[in-house]
Amino acid sequence: TPEGVNLKLELGSAGSRAGAFLIDALIMIVLLVVVTIVLLLVAGKSSGTGEFLTILWLIGFFLLRNGWFSLFEMGSRGATPGKRLMGLRVVARDGSRLTGAAVIARNAMREIEVFLPLGFLGQQTAAGTADTFLVLFALTWSGIFLFFPLFNRDRLRVGDLVAGTWVVNA
């Protein structure tokens, strides 16, 4: 630590980190489904609001997937609900307090690692314009980032490398 105290930290395993992400993703999907149902009910009762509600839904989905991780990790526990259930937390590698910039950098990389390529693939598939190259490219891109923690000593995601953070057992 900056105070010169040696701390022994146990890094979270790739499996527990993946489990935490899946728990968080499941909670976010449930929230998204509930909001979608409410918006569909509102759209059914009033005419001409469908496009506005679609835009509102897209903005809400973006804020949910980007704000979920950042807001929870900026809290005093440094953990999302999924990480708390798995007994994990995010800490700065140098032992100092976790900064907002580190949390934002760490989670902005998740957008590049997972959500952008798979979101683009989903949009192209829904439009019927996804070809084999696009499918392979998006899955390869996400796969490289998905398996990246398995190929470095500290099991760090690219976001952890950029932000200077570790995910440790609480």
Side-chain angles (χ1 to χ4, degrees):
T1 66
E3 294 80 17
V5 176
N6 263 345
L7 291 177
K8 300 287 183 192
L9 299 174
E10 183 181 339
L11 297 175
S13 70
S16 62
R17 292 180 68 170
F21 178 77
L22 290 175
I23 291 168
D24 287 325
L26 181 65
I27 295 169
M28 289 188 307
I29 288 169
V30 167
L31 285 171
L32 199 59
V33 167
V34 168
V35 169
T36 301
I37 291 169
V38 168
L39 289 176
L40 287 172
L41 291 173
V42 170
K45 291 182 179 179
S46 54
S47 61
T49 60
E51 188 173 305
F52 173 74
L53 292 176
T54 300
I55 293 169
L56 188 64
W57 184 90
L58 287 170
I59 291 170
F61 180 48
F62 176 80
L63 292 174
L64 176 65
R65 80 177 181 249
N66 286 291
W68 180 269
F69 296 98
S70 296
L71 292 176
F72 279 113
E73 290 174 2
M74 279 188 209
S76 61
R77 292 183 179 182
T80 62
K83 284 185 183 73
R84 274 190 250 146
L85 286 171
M86 297 301 289
L88 302 172
R89 67 180 294 148
V90 180
V91 298
R93 270 188 274 166
D94 63 2
S96 64
R97 182 167 174 79
L98 195 60
T99 65
V103 170
I104 290 170
R106 176 177 195 284
N107 291 303
M109 285 305 298
R110 182 177 289 110
E111 188 74 17
I112 295 168
E113 294 171 7
V114 178
F115 293 120
L116 281 177
L118 295 181
F120 183 71
L121 176 61
Q123 187 269 335
Q124 293 296 313
T125 302
T129 58
D131 60 359
T132 305
F133 174 76
L134 178 64
V135 171
L136 290 175
F137 180 77
L139 294 177
T140 302
W141 178 274
S142 293
I144 288 169
F145 288 112
L146 175 69
F147 294 112
F148 188 83
L150 300 177
F151 297 106
N152 64 72
R153 181 175 52 95
D154 293 329
R155 295 184 291 271
L156 300 175
R157 280 184 36 237
V158 173
D160 292 318
L161 288 172
V162 168
T165 58
W166 276 330
V167 176
V168 297
N169 291 325

